[in-house]
Amino acid sequence: MSAILRVHCSPPSDASRTGGVLLWPRVSAEESTRIAVFIDWQNTWHAAREAFGWTGFPNEYGNYSPLRLAELLAEGKDRRERARLVRVNIHRGLPSNKRDPQGCGAVRRQAQAWISQNPELVVPRLRPLRYYGAAAEPREKGVDVDMAVQALRFVLAGECEVAVLFTHDTDLLPAVEAIADLRGGHSVETASWVAKGFRSRLRIQRRIYHHELDRHSFAWVEQRVNFAYKGG
């Protein structure tokens, strides 16, 4: 039986917002908890489309703001004013400019839009897609490994107190378990979308805090933009 602590993660109702940043009463750096969020983009984009009934809809359905999502996760677990978001990593594949110039341009525009929300916090980590044949669909290669390494590095180097991994990919289970083994279960958290009939998430055999993000949470972070268009 999984020992994950499952909690419903909803947007706060008593916080004001300016420029997309949650505003709580300030606390000192010594009192705050540094949070780093690591996002498996393609995995969570596909999961959102499946969970919320958008399979087959245009590509912009399922897009969300990584920064707003990271703010929501950082404020979770009743941290509120104690949360200090220190990094938002978005891990995803990058199409070849030679094979798929439109796709490559769309991903680069999307990455720039993410960065523009907060250049000091948001870091897209793009890895070239692998192509295995003229007609074959390209595949991500090394994205999950990079995400695992980055999460481990941030915690072990003392750059954050808590790493939150947002993914449904079980390949990232070893990273979560390694952080829990080396720094304790309080140093790592997981997150996933949740909906009626959709409960895909990482299942770990220890007490790890888990954020469940429903359709209401998605509405809080949604960014329905088609980056295939240069004006998007």
Side-chain angles (χ1 to χ4, degrees), residues 136-193:
E137 285 289 325
R139 299 179 183 177
E140 290 188 337
K141 191 71 174 178
V143 171
D144 53 351
V145 173
D146 184 50
M147 181 166 158
V149 169
Q150 288 297 312
L152 278 162
R153 184 183 71 79
F154 260 75
V155 174
L156 297 182
E159 297 182 40
C160 68
E161 276 78 54
V162 179
V164 184
L165 280 71
F166 181 39
T167 182
H168 300 254
D169 188 351
T170 55
D171 287 347
L172 283 155
L173 274 172
V176 176
E177 292 169 342
I179 294 172
D181 287 342
L182 296 170
R183 285 292 187 267
H186 62 279
S187 296
V188 61
E189 299 169 9
T190 58
S192 68
W193 303 120

Side-chain angles (χ1 to χ4, degrees), residues 32-226:
S32 65
T33 301
R34 294 172 300 160
I35 313 294
V37 176
F38 302 87
I39 297 171
D40 186 352
W41 175 260
Q42 201 70 2
N43 175 274
T44 55
W45 176 77
H46 278 296
R49 288 167 65 83
E50 181 180 350
F52 307 131
W54 296 325
T55 302
F57 278 54
N59 287 343
E60 57 264 33
Y61 286 79
N63 279 346
Y64 60 89
S65 163
L67 178 61
R68 293 193 72 175
L69 178 121
E71 291 169 355
L72 186 59
L73 295 175
E75 303 284 353
K77 201 182 176 183
D78 293 324
R79 279 184 288 257
R80 296 197 175 191
E81 72 276 5
R82 293 185 294 104
R84 181 155 66 95
L85 189 60
V86 296
R87 177 61 72 91
V88 184
N89 269 14
I90 309 108
H91 300 262
R92 71 157 300 164
L94 175 66
S96 164
N97 189 47
K98 182 178 180 180
R99 289 175 176 254
D100 183 8
Q102 183 179 24
C104 180
V107 171
R108 292 197 180 280
R109 283 189 290 275
Q110 185 179 46
Q112 191 55 51
W114 292 338
I115 293 170
S116 69
Q117 292 185 328
N118 192 324
E120 295 182 359
L121 293 183
V122 178
V123 179
R125 293 184 63 87
L126 311 179
R127 294 184 65 86
L129 293 176
R130 291 290 184 89
Y131 294 81
Y132 295 93
E137 285 289 325
R139 299 179 183 177
E140 290 188 337
K141 191 71 174 178
V143 171
D144 53 351
V145 173
D146 184 50
M147 181 166 158
V149 169
Q150 288 297 312
L152 278 162
R153 184 183 71 79
F154 260 75
V155 174
L156 297 182
E159 297 182 40
C160 68
E161 276 78 54
V162 179
V164 184
L165 280 71
F166 181 39
T167 182
H168 300 254
D169 188 351
T170 55
D171 287 347
L172 283 155
L173 274 172
V176 176
E177 292 169 342
I179 294 172
D181 287 342
L182 296 170
R183 285 292 187 267
H186 62 279
S187 296
V188 61
E189 299 169 9
T190 58
S192 68
W193 303 120
V194 64
K196 184 178 181 180
F198 182 87
R199 293 280 172 176
S200 171
R201 61 171 174 85
L202 302 190
R203 298 180 184 275
I204 303 154
Q205 301 303 313
R206 63 194 72 198
R207 292 177 67 82
I208 299 294
Y209 193 91
H210 180 72
H211 304 259
E212 291 189 337
L213 303 168
D214 63 7
R215 182 66 183 83
H216 181 53
S217 300
F218 186 87
W220 180 261
V221 303
E222 187 172 18
Q223 187 178 37
R224 192 177 294 178
V225 176
N226 188 336

